[in-house]
Amino acid sequence: MADFLEILTHGRRLKAQLKGLALDELQEVIGKMQAIAAEREEELAAENAANAERLAKIEEIRKKLAEEGIGLDELGAVVGGEAAPRKKRAPRPAKYEITVDGERLTWTGQGRTPKAIKERLDAGASLEDFLIK
């Protein structure tokens, strides 16, 4: 696609590529490209009109709010404005434990398996062997 776009946007390359086309074929290509360009212009005009309509509605609503004496900050507070701060959940209780070199390591069972437990599991131990009773 990049090569095609490079050819289309570079005058000499485009001329070299179109050199082998007959005049009627060249005019057909030009006609198709003009149709595509016209279609794009219509889409852009419709998009701009929709945008202008939307902006007009926003301005109308802003004026009504100003007439009623309502500020945008008040409106945000009523609607929910700022998001409520997220509550942190309590840490999960440890479910598994292992003692390594006199140090007790615990694991909730979520996330990455601790290295010491993983080594023992690989050696044939069962996860139930590490359950906290």
Side-chain angles (χ1 to χ4, degrees), residues 89-98 105-114 117 127 130-132:
R89 64 172 174 78
R92 295 194 183 277
K95 189 173 179 181
Y96 303 99
E97 70 178 346
I98 187 170
L105 300 173
T106 60
W107 179 47
T108 62
Q110 292 188 337
R112 178 176 272 173
T113 308
I117 294 177
L127 195 55
F130 304 106
L131 277 172
I132 296 176

Side-chain angles (χ1 to χ4, degrees), residues 12-23:
R12 280 186 262 159
R13 289 184 182 169
L14 181 60
K15 186 176 181 179
Q17 292 295 319
L18 298 175
K19 192 177 199 179
L21 290 180
L23 186 58

Side-chain angles (χ1 to χ4, degrees), residues 28-130:
E28 184 180 338
V29 169
I30 291 170
K32 288 179 182 179
M33 292 181 92
Q34 286 175 337
I36 291 170
E39 188 176 303
R40 284 262 176 93
E41 286 176 354
E42 289 174 10
E43 288 173 2
L44 186 59
E47 186 177 313
N48 287 341
N51 231 3
E53 185 178 318
R54 182 174 178 270
L55 290 175
K57 286 181 183 179
I58 290 171
E59 184 61 24
E60 181 182 330
I61 292 169
R62 190 189 63 73
K63 284 182 182 178
K64 284 182 182 178
L65 288 174
E67 288 172 6
E68 297 294 325
I70 300 172
L72 291 178
D73 53 336
E74 293 175 285
L75 184 63
V78 171
V79 175
E82 296 180 22
R86 295 181 91 180
K87 295 181 183 177
K88 283 194 169 188
R89 64 172 174 78
R92 295 194 183 277
K95 189 173 179 181
Y96 303 99
E97 70 178 346
I98 187 170
T99 305
V100 178
D101 298 330
E103 186 181 347
R104 179 178 175 251
L105 300 173
T106 60
W107 179 47
T108 62
Q110 292 188 337
R112 178 176 272 173
T113 308
K115 186 176 180 181
I117 294 177
K118 183 163 177 25
E119 288 173 354
R120 299 264 174 89
L121 289 173
D122 291 344
S126 171
L127 195 55
E128 285 77 32
D129 297 340
F130 304 106

